Amino acid sequence: MLTKEQPPAVRFVIDEYALRYPVGEASVMDAQLEHLVQVVSDGLAHVQVVPAGALPGIGGAFVLATVDGRTVGYEESTSHGTVLTEERDLHRLEVIYDHLLGEADSPARSLERIQRVRNELWKT
């Protein structure tokens, strides 16, 4: 159980387009965003949303994780995923992550943006 003093171990930076892109019917999207709001509200994850169009040219989804005390990356494209362990690759992902954080809304504003998109587009 996470306490309020402990920061969540999971941090997400999400492009606003991901909130707006339909994956399934409106009821599915509504349920997904409701779940995201609940996870954040419960303190299980830290989410920041990058406003639509803020950073064009980001290549795609990636993950940075600490496994057994070392950083690893995972980068995804439309055709495959790649595990990254080389220092230069990890540095590149860390730089991109820093740029994303610099453009992202604060956690509180991100939660408001998620709710707004949910109400505007997906509320059934």
Side-chain angles (χ1 to χ4, degrees):
M1 175 85 166
L2 221 56
T3 67
K4 292 294 182 188
E5 293 79 37
Q6 290 177 292
V10 179
R11 296 176 57 98
F12 296 101
V13 179
I14 301 173
D15 191 306
E16 182 179 350
Y17 289 124
L19 306 175
R20 295 178 172 280
Y21 187 81
V23 179
E25 298 177 2
S27 61
V28 171
M29 292 298 296
D30 181 47
Q32 290 290 327
L33 295 185
E34 177 184 28
H35 180 71
L36 183 59
V37 167
Q38 190 62 53
V39 166
V40 171
S41 297
D42 289 347
L44 300 175
H46 179 100
V47 175
Q48 288 182 257
V49 176
V50 176
L55 279 177
I58 297 298
F62 67 91
V63 175
L64 284 168
T66 303
V67 178
D68 294 331
R70 64 186 192 109
T71 301
V72 294
Y74 176 78
E75 199 168 36
E76 208 170 82
S77 74
T78 56
S79 61
H80 68 282
T82 305
V83 175
L84 305 169
T85 58
E86 296 291 324
E87 191 63 37
R88 64 182 156 78
D89 294 326
L90 297 173
H91 178 72
R92 178 178 53 82
L93 292 183
E94 289 168 348
V95 168
I96 293 170
Y97 182 75
D98 288 344
H99 284 291
L100 289 170
L101 280 181
E103 294 294 327
D105 288 338
S106 69
R109 291 203 54 175
S110 293
L111 199 54
E112 291 170 7
R113 186 179 297 272
I114 294 166
Q115 288 282 37
R116 186 171 55 250
V117 169
R118 180 178 176 221
N119 290 333
E120 288 173 5
L121 297 178
W122 309 118
K123 201 72 168 157
T124 56

